Amino acid sequence: MRKALAVRISAFGPPVETVRCEEIELPDLGPDDVLVQMKAAPINPADINIIEGKYGQLPELPATIGNEGAGVVAEVGSSVTRVKPGDWVRPTGGGVWSSYLVLNEKNVLRLPQGIAPDQAAMMGVNPPTAYRMLHDFVHLKEGDWVVQNAANSAVGRSVIQLSKSLGIKTLNVVRRADLEPELKSLGATAVVTEDCDLRKEIKGITGGTLPRLALNAVGGDSALNIANALATGGTHVTYGAMSKLALKIPNALLIFKDIQFRGFWLTRWWKTATSNDVDTMYDTLARLSITGRLSIPVEKVYPVTEIADAVRHALQGERSGKILIQF
Amino acid sequence: MRKALAVRISAFGPPVETVRCEEIELPDLGPDDVLVQMKAAPINPADINIIEGKYGQLPELPATIGNEGAGVVAEVGSSVTRVKPGDWVRPTGGGVWSSYLVLNEKNVLRLPQGIAPDQAAMMGVNPPTAYRMLHDFVHLKEGDWVVQNAANSAVGRSVIQLSKSLGIKTLNVVRRADLEPELKSLGATAVVTEDCDLRKEIKGITGGTLPRLALNAVGGDSALNIANALATGGTHVTYGAMSKLALKIPNALLIFKDIQFRGFWLTRWWKTATSNDVDTMYDTLARLSITGRLSIPVEKVYPVTEIADAVRHALQGERSGKILIQF
């Protein structure tokens, strides 16, 4: 019986205290299965929320957790044709924080040539969220503006980089003014701090054009601030709730300014995505990643045996990049 | 010089103190103009909000106010072909609270045969708002549920009656339980009071089906309550703000339940409506009105000279129908 080292929870609760690294037994390799030796996985806000039991879809317990990562194919079943030992792959389901995984070959995606494994490990959640939000709500044209908060997050940085590649201008709201040079080097058009009253300042910042899309990962006052920057008929998309505060929406924004407030959840998108949608998106993301135009910074790498420290670090607000787990 | 008695304001302010009934001089009748002797006009919430200066579009002051009404053609210019003296008509623009109006013939709609003038006077704002909200946001099928608050308002009653004619079921939230028999006699499927927690009770009320459309004229907690009743992917439309409280939207309703929060403003709809849209809608509304399946109750009729009393009465929350002004 083959064994693996996995990050498990047996109850939902405070993340640092709840995660355990433990040995599990792997199932036998069926003819359609591949054995993947996982190499790296990031800790995303969704992983934290699942451990806390505060997410739209929760696993049955006890469970191995983790929503994305990358690894190398170690062995394949007798009928497997899509991948071979030595190929780099990304699992497409959940429960991937494990040194080895036995997966049906349909549930792994082969990585494109030339992509860095750490970047590939982070390609399943944040860049696709940015990509979908820029494509699925408003038909944006070159020169249009998008406004977002949490602009220094992995999604925020992906929004900046993808927008730049599309010729779309970004107004980026951050908590710390010292992030401006870094975000501008990624392609941010403008960077302001949370205390900037966008209702008053927006036209000065953009030269008169009003954004047609607002992307919100914070909630509360910050969500309203970016809504107030929108043009009449604009769309406001919530994909995260870092402040844990509800949105407060003045009626006039709905009735007279015709702002639409919507939500985005990548898990839901996956349920109806066609393979063509998926391929088109990943081709674009991989091309940008390989050519250095899309990248997510890493703050620190922890071995899986130090998962509690890794989670504690991931919970800190002021990071310069993702926390990665190595197996 | 012909004169008329009109309801005017010279500044925005508290409604009862601000409105004045005064004599104005009418312009001469041009070749394309019609002289309309106004007969009746309702006081709508939008009229109140305009007098207060709290509306999405405000007239230049001083101004004659009033958004809808009905009257009789008294005289026509030499080139007028669409109407003749004696025809009942509705003006289509604003500023209609006046005993006589001189209007270009393009700005009057002839009333269909058989429609009651008082009902026709109220046909321009509330029934169209109900009609558009039932048609323009969600593709509703027979048997679908719609949930609404302020169900005893003129829009609310129109929603009930139009839904009934379409085979759509309505869950109606009201402040007073004693309204249930009356609303049910109009066609309401279910009636509950504001203290009913719809998140818990909705399935029991509808037999398991969740509404796909919520219509909100209140804001605050009431707006959230009807949002909590919606099916995943449902749409919540705000068209009024009687409580004057902002919407408070938990992030999970946006991200995980995919609820869309939108607004509706009839003034905006008019700006892009085609004449085909308008004709189709008014044909339906007139047909329902003439056959008694769409009607708005009147609580009291005031002569225009008692406009302050009329406005005071219209500001009372607990009415059994509209306040009409007679000229």
Side-chain angles (χ1 to χ4, degrees), chain B residues 92-117:
Chain B
T92 58
V96 306
W97 288 0
S98 178
S99 59
Y100 285 91
L101 293 167
V102 172
L103 298 167
N104 187 294
E105 67 167 329
K106 287 186 301 190
N107 297 326
V108 299
L109 287 176
R110 192 147 52 106
L111 299 186
Q113 287 275 332
I115 196 166

PDB file of all heavy atoms in Angstrom, chain B residues 92-117:
ATOM      1  N   THR B  92     -47.235  62.716 -22.632  1.00  0.00           N
ATOM      2  CA  THR B  92     -46.155  61.755 -22.375  1.00  0.00           C
ATOM      3  C   THR B  92     -44.950  62.374 -21.657  1.00  0.00           C
ATOM      4  O   THR B  92     -44.056  61.647 -21.248  1.00  0.00           O
ATOM      5  CB  THR B  92     -45.657  61.122 -23.693  1.00  0.00           C
ATOM      6  OG1 THR B  92     -45.224  62.179 -24.552  1.00  0.00           O
ATOM      7  CG2 THR B  92     -46.750  60.323 -24.367  1.00  0.00           C
ATOM      8  N   GLY B  93     -44.902  63.663 -21.494  1.00  0.00           N
ATOM      9  CA  GLY B  93     -43.754  64.270 -20.820  1.00  0.00           C
ATOM     10  C   GLY B  93     -44.065  64.643 -19.378  1.00  0.00           C
ATOM     11  O   GLY B  93     -45.051  64.183 -18.796  1.00  0.00           O
ATOM     12  N   GLY B  94     -43.220  65.463 -18.775  1.00  0.00           N
ATOM     13  CA  GLY B  94     -43.426  65.919 -17.404  1.00  0.00           C
ATOM     14  C   GLY B  94     -44.068  67.298 -17.387  1.00  0.00           C
ATOM     15  O   GLY B  94     -44.317  67.900 -18.432  1.00  0.00           O
ATOM     16  N   GLY B  95     -44.355  67.800 -16.166  1.00  0.00           N
ATOM     17  CA  GLY B  95     -44.933  69.140 -16.029  1.00  0.00           C
ATOM     18  C   GLY B  95     -46.377  69.214 -16.449  1.00  0.00           C
ATOM     19  O   GLY B  95     -46.805  70.167 -17.115  1.00  0.00           O
ATOM     20  N   VAL B  96     -47.180  68.220 -16.053  1.00  0.00           N
ATOM     21  CA  VAL B  96     -48.551  68.122 -16.569  1.00  0.00           C
ATOM     22  C   VAL B  96     -49.627  68.515 -15.560  1.00  0.00           C
ATOM     23  O   VAL B  96     -50.815  68.440 -15.858  1.00  0.00           O
ATOM     24  CB  VAL B  96     -48.856  66.701 -17.108  1.00  0.00           C
ATOM     25  CG1 VAL B  96     -47.808  66.296 -18.141  1.00  0.00           C
ATOM     26  CG2 VAL B  96     -48.948  65.678 -15.993  1.00  0.00           C
ATOM     27  N   TRP B  97     -49.235  68.947 -14.354  1.00  0.00           N
ATOM     28  CA  TRP B  97     -50.254  69.329 -13.373  1.00  0.00           C
ATOM     29  C   TRP B  97     -50.719  70.753 -13.667  1.00  0.00           C
ATOM     30  O   TRP B  97     -50.328  71.699 -12.985  1.00  0.00           O
ATOM     31  CB  TRP B  97     -49.710  69.220 -11.953  1.00  0.00           C
ATOM     32  CG  TRP B  97     -49.513  67.799 -11.481  1.00  0.00           C
ATOM     33  CD1 TRP B  97     -49.768  66.665 -12.158  1.00  0.00           C
ATOM     34  CD2 TRP B  97     -49.013  67.403 -10.196  1.00  0.00           C
ATOM     35  NE1 TRP B  97     -49.470  65.567 -11.388  1.00  0.00           N
ATOM     36  CE2 TRP B  97     -49.002  65.988 -10.177  1.00  0.00           C
ATOM     37  CE3 TRP B  97     -48.555  68.087  -9.064  1.00  0.00           C
ATOM     38  CZ2 TRP B  97     -48.562  65.258  -9.069  1.00  0.00           C
ATOM     39  CZ3 TRP B  97     -48.127  67.361  -7.960  1.00  0.00           C
ATOM     40  CH2 TRP B  97     -48.140  65.959  -7.969  1.00  0.00           C
ATOM     41  N   SER B  98     -51.562  70.879 -14.647  1.00  0.00           N
ATOM     42  CA  SER B  98     -52.024  72.186 -15.104  1.00  0.00           C
ATOM     43  C   SER B  98     -53.406  71.990 -15.729  1.00  0.00           C
ATOM     44  O   SER B  98     -53.654  70.982 -16.401  1.00  0.00           O
ATOM     45  CB  SER B  98     -51.035  72.736 -16.156  1.00  0.00           C
ATOM     46  OG  SER B  98     -51.490  73.976 -16.649  1.00  0.00           O
ATOM     47  N   SER B  99     -54.296  72.943 -15.521  1.00  0.00           N
ATOM     48  CA  SER B  99     -55.666  72.776 -16.024  1.00  0.00           C
ATOM     49  C   SER B  99     -55.697  72.739 -17.557  1.00  0.00           C
ATOM     50  O   SER B  99     -56.565  72.106 -18.145  1.00  0.00           O
ATOM     51  CB  SER B  99     -56.571  73.887 -15.493  1.00  0.00           C
ATOM     52  OG  SER B  99     -56.083  75.144 -15.888  1.00  0.00           O
ATOM     53  N   TYR B 100     -54.752  73.425 -18.202  1.00  0.00           N
ATOM     54  CA  TYR B 100     -54.605  73.346 -19.661  1.00  0.00           C
ATOM     55  C   TYR B 100     -53.131  73.183 -19.999  1.00  0.00           C
ATOM     56  O   TYR B 100     -52.257  73.714 -19.287  1.00  0.00           O
ATOM     57  CB  TYR B 100     -55.132  74.614 -20.341  1.00  0.00           C
ATOM     58  CG  TYR B 100     -56.640  74.681 -20.372  1.00  0.00           C
ATOM     59  CD1 TYR B 100     -57.343  75.303 -19.333  1.00  0.00           C
ATOM     60  CD2 TYR B 100     -57.362  74.119 -21.430  1.00  0.00           C
ATOM     61  CE1 TYR B 100     -58.728  75.362 -19.348  1.00  0.00           C
ATOM     62  CE2 TYR B 100     -58.747  74.178 -21.450  1.00  0.00           C
ATOM     63  CZ  TYR B 100     -59.425  74.789 -20.414  1.00  0.00           C
ATOM     64  OH  TYR B 100     -60.796  74.835 -20.433  1.00  0.00           O
ATOM     65  N   LEU B 101     -52.860  72.460 -21.060  1.00  0.00           N
ATOM     66  CA  LEU B 101     -51.493  72.294 -21.553  1.00  0.00           C
ATOM     67  C   LEU B 101     -51.488  72.513 -23.062  1.00  0.00           C
ATOM     68  O   LEU B 101     -52.394  72.044 -23.754  1.00  0.00           O
ATOM     69  CB  LEU B 101     -50.990  70.868 -21.299  1.00  0.00           C
ATOM     70  CG  LEU B 101     -50.774  70.425 -19.849  1.00  0.00           C
ATOM     71  CD1 LEU B 101     -50.601  68.899 -19.802  1.00  0.00           C
ATOM     72  CD2 LEU B 101     -49.550  71.115 -19.254  1.00  0.00           C
ATOM     73  N   VAL B 102     -50.463  73.206 -23.553  1.00  0.00           N
ATOM     74  CA  VAL B 102     -50.235  73.276 -25.000  1.00  0.00           C
ATOM     75  C   VAL B 102     -49.079  72.336 -25.313  1.00  0.00           C
ATOM     76  O   VAL B 102     -47.961  72.516 -24.820  1.00  0.00           O
ATOM     77  CB  VAL B 102     -49.905  74.712 -25.453  1.00  0.00           C
ATOM     78  CG1 VAL B 102     -49.474  74.717 -26.922  1.00  0.00           C
ATOM     79  CG2 VAL B 102     -51.107  75.620 -25.234  1.00  0.00           C
ATOM     80  N   LEU B 103     -49.352  71.303 -26.095  1.00  0.00           N
ATOM     81  CA  LEU B 103     -48.353  70.260 -26.366  1.00  0.00           C
ATOM     82  C   LEU B 103     -48.279  69.969 -27.851  1.00  0.00           C
ATOM     83  O   LEU B 103     -49.305  69.996 -28.549  1.00  0.00           O
ATOM     84  CB  LEU B 103     -48.751  68.959 -25.650  1.00  0.00           C
ATOM     85  CG  LEU B 103     -48.837  69.002 -24.124  1.00  0.00           C
ATOM     86  CD1 LEU B 103     -49.537  67.749 -23.601  1.00  0.00           C
ATOM     87  CD2 LEU B 103     -47.444  69.128 -23.517  1.00  0.00           C
ATOM     88  N   ASN B 104     -47.078  69.670 -28.331  1.00  0.00           N
ATOM     89  CA  ASN B 104     -46.957  69.164 -29.693  1.00  0.00           C
ATOM     90  C   ASN B 104     -47.750  67.861 -29.793  1.00  0.00           C
ATOM     91  O   ASN B 104     -47.747  67.060 -28.862  1.00  0.00           O
ATOM     92  CB  ASN B 104     -45.484  68.911 -30.011  1.00  0.00           C
ATOM     93  CG  ASN B 104     -45.281  68.546 -31.471  1.00  0.00           C
ATOM     94  OD1 ASN B 104     -45.738  67.502 -31.927  1.00  0.00           O
ATOM     95  ND2 ASN B 104     -44.621  69.438 -32.215  1.00  0.00           N
ATOM     96  N   GLU B 105     -48.389  67.636 -30.919  1.00  0.00           N
ATOM     97  CA  GLU B 105     -49.247  66.437 -31.019  1.00  0.00           C
ATOM     98  C   GLU B 105     -48.463  65.138 -30.816  1.00  0.00           C
ATOM     99  O   GLU B 105     -49.042  64.111 -30.464  1.00  0.00           O
ATOM    100  CB  GLU B 105     -49.998  66.403 -32.366  1.00  0.00           C
ATOM    101  CG  GLU B 105     -49.112  66.209 -33.568  1.00  0.00           C
ATOM    102  CD  GLU B 105     -49.906  65.873 -34.843  1.00  0.00           C
ATOM    103  OE1 GLU B 105     -50.971  65.236 -34.738  1.00  0.00           O
ATOM    104  OE2 GLU B 105     -49.452  66.259 -35.937  1.00  0.00           O
ATOM    105  N   LYS B 106     -47.123  65.193 -31.029  1.00  0.00           N
ATOM    106  CA  LYS B 106     -46.306  63.990 -30.787  1.00  0.00           C
ATOM    107  C   LYS B 106     -46.243  63.626 -29.303  1.00  0.00           C
ATOM    108  O   LYS B 106     -45.888  62.517 -28.940  1.00  0.00           O
ATOM    109  CB  LYS B 106     -44.866  64.218 -31.279  1.00  0.00           C
ATOM    110  CG  LYS B 106     -44.729  64.218 -32.781  1.00  0.00           C
ATOM    111  CD  LYS B 106     -43.271  64.297 -33.200  1.00  0.00           C
ATOM    112  CE  LYS B 106     -42.625  65.577 -32.631  1.00  0.00           C
ATOM    113  NZ  LYS B 106     -41.285  65.832 -33.185  1.00  0.00           N
ATOM    114  N   ASN B 107     -46.539  64.612 -28.453  1.00  0.00           N
ATOM    115  CA  ASN B 107     -46.400  64.392 -27.017  1.00  0.00           C
ATOM    116  C   ASN B 107     -47.710  64.082 -26.307  1.00  0.00           C
ATOM    117  O   ASN B 107     -47.825  64.249 -25.092  1.00  0.00           O
ATOM    118  CB  ASN B 107     -45.709  65.601 -26.371  1.00  0.00           C
ATOM    119  CG  ASN B 107     -44.295  65.770 -26.922  1.00  0.00           C
ATOM    120  OD1 ASN B 107     -43.630  64.786 -27.237  1.00  0.00           O
ATOM    121  ND2 ASN B 107     -43.858  67.018 -27.052  1.00  0.00           N
ATOM    122  N   VAL B 108     -48.701  63.648 -27.081  1.00  0.00           N
ATOM    123  CA  VAL B 108     -49.916  63.121 -26.455  1.00  0.00           C
ATOM    124  C   VAL B 108     -50.217  61.738 -27.050  1.00  0.00           C
ATOM    125  O   VAL B 108     -49.936  61.481 -28.216  1.00  0.00           O
ATOM    126  CB  VAL B 108     -51.154  64.042 -26.642  1.00  0.00           C
ATOM    127  CG1 VAL B 108     -50.930  65.406 -26.017  1.00  0.00           C
ATOM    128  CG2 VAL B 108     -51.527  64.168 -28.116  1.00  0.00           C
ATOM    129  N   LEU B 109     -50.736  60.873 -26.211  1.00  0.00           N
ATOM    130  CA  LEU B 109     -51.177  59.545 -26.661  1.00  0.00           C
ATOM    131  C   LEU B 109     -52.691  59.510 -26.539  1.00  0.00           C
ATOM    132  O   LEU B 109     -53.241  59.828 -25.479  1.00  0.00           O
ATOM    133  CB  LEU B 109     -50.604  58.452 -25.753  1.00  0.00           C
ATOM    134  CG  LEU B 109     -49.124  58.108 -25.865  1.00  0.00           C
ATOM    135  CD1 LEU B 109     -48.754  57.067 -24.800  1.00  0.00           C
ATOM    136  CD2 LEU B 109     -48.808  57.554 -27.263  1.00  0.00           C
ATOM    137  N   ARG B 110     -53.375  59.115 -27.629  1.00  0.00           N
ATOM    138  CA  ARG B 110     -54.826  59.004 -27.554  1.00  0.00           C
ATOM    139  C   ARG B 110     -55.192  57.778 -26.731  1.00  0.00           C
ATOM    140  O   ARG B 110     -54.582  56.718 -26.858  1.00  0.00           O
ATOM    141  CB  ARG B 110     -55.419  58.874 -28.969  1.00  0.00           C
ATOM    142  CG  ARG B 110     -56.931  59.048 -28.982  1.00  0.00           C
ATOM    143  CD  ARG B 110     -57.371  59.700 -30.284  1.00  0.00           C
ATOM    144  NE  ARG B 110     -56.808  58.960 -31.406  1.00  0.00           N
ATOM    145  CZ  ARG B 110     -57.524  58.144 -32.195  1.00  0.00           C
ATOM    146  NH1 ARG B 110     -58.821  57.999 -31.994  1.00  0.00           N
ATOM    147  NH2 ARG B 110     -56.960  57.512 -33.191  1.00  0.00           N
ATOM    148  N   LEU B 111     -56.171  57.913 -25.847  1.00  0.00           N
ATOM    149  CA  LEU B 111     -56.570  56.779 -25.015  1.00  0.00           C
ATOM    150  C   LEU B 111     -57.413  55.810 -25.822  1.00  0.00           C
ATOM    151  O   LEU B 111     -58.225  56.231 -26.647  1.00  0.00           O
ATOM    152  CB  LEU B 111     -57.387  57.262 -23.817  1.00  0.00           C
ATOM    153  CG  LEU B 111     -56.677  58.213 -22.866  1.00  0.00           C
ATOM    154  CD1 LEU B 111     -57.568  58.488 -21.662  1.00  0.00           C
ATOM    155  CD2 LEU B 111     -55.356  57.613 -22.408  1.00  0.00           C
ATOM    156  N   PRO B 112     -57.246  54.516 -25.561  1.00  0.00           N
ATOM    157  CA  PRO B 112     -58.082  53.543 -26.258  1.00  0.00           C
ATOM    158  C   PRO B 112     -59.539  53.678 -25.819  1.00  0.00           C
ATOM    159  O   PRO B 112     -59.831  54.102 -24.701  1.00  0.00           O
ATOM    160  CB  PRO B 112     -57.497  52.196 -25.825  1.00  0.00           C
ATOM    161  CG  PRO B 112     -56.637  52.464 -24.647  1.00  0.00           C
ATOM    162  CD  PRO B 112     -56.253  53.905 -24.672  1.00  0.00           C
ATOM    163  N   GLN B 113     -60.438  53.323 -26.730  1.00  0.00           N
ATOM    164  CA  GLN B 113     -61.873  53.303 -26.456  1.00  0.00           C
ATOM    165  C   GLN B 113     -62.168  52.461 -25.223  1.00  0.00           C
ATOM    166  O   GLN B 113     -61.661  51.357 -25.095  1.00  0.00           O
ATOM    167  CB  GLN B 113     -62.621  52.654 -27.633  1.00  0.00           C
ATOM    168  CG  GLN B 113     -62.704  53.489 -28.881  1.00  0.00           C
ATOM    169  CD  GLN B 113     -63.869  54.461 -28.841  1.00  0.00           C
ATOM    170  OE1 GLN B 113     -64.868  54.171 -28.183  1.00  0.00           O
ATOM    171  NE2 GLN B 113     -63.723  55.608 -29.478  1.00  0.00           N
ATOM    172  N   GLY B 114     -62.986  53.013 -24.335  1.00  0.00           N
ATOM    173  CA  GLY B 114     -63.505  52.178 -23.257  1.00  0.00           C
ATOM    174  C   GLY B 114     -62.713  52.223 -21.968  1.00  0.00           C
ATOM    175  O   GLY B 114     -63.128  51.675 -20.955  1.00  0.00           O
ATOM    176  N   ILE B 115     -61.535  52.859 -21.995  1.00  0.00           N
ATOM    177  CA  ILE B 115     -60.749  52.914 -20.769  1.00  0.00           C
ATOM    178  C   ILE B 115     -61.283  54.048 -19.886  1.00  0.00           C
ATOM    179  O   ILE B 115     -61.646  55.120 -20.377  1.00  0.00           O
ATOM    180  CB  ILE B 115     -59.244  53.075 -21.075  1.00  0.00           C
ATOM    181  CG1 ILE B 115     -58.410  52.733 -19.841  1.00  0.00           C
ATOM    182  CG2 ILE B 115     -58.926  54.469 -21.589  1.00  0.00           C
ATOM    183  CD1 ILE B 115     -56.930  52.531 -20.152  1.00  0.00           C
ATOM    184  N   ALA B 116     -61.364  53.810 -18.583  1.00  0.00           N
ATOM    185  CA  ALA B 116     -61.862  54.834 -17.666  1.00  0.00           C
ATOM    186  C   ALA B 116     -60.825  55.946 -17.534  1.00  0.00           C
ATOM    187  O   ALA B 116     -59.645  55.663 -17.342  1.00  0.00           O
ATOM    188  CB  ALA B 116     -62.139  54.207 -16.307  1.00  0.00           C
ATOM    189  N   PRO B 117     -61.240  57.219 -17.660  1.00  0.00           N
ATOM    190  CA  PRO B 117     -60.275  58.316 -17.616  1.00  0.00           C
ATOM    191  C   PRO B 117     -59.393  58.325 -16.365  1.00  0.00           C
ATOM    192  O   PRO B 117     -58.185  58.552 -16.479  1.00  0.00           O
ATOM    193  CB  PRO B 117     -61.168  59.560 -17.676  1.00  0.00           C
ATOM    194  CG  PRO B 117     -62.376  59.115 -18.431  1.00  0.00           C
ATOM    195  CD  PRO B 117     -62.598  57.691 -18.009  1.00  0.00           C
TER     196      PRO B 117
END
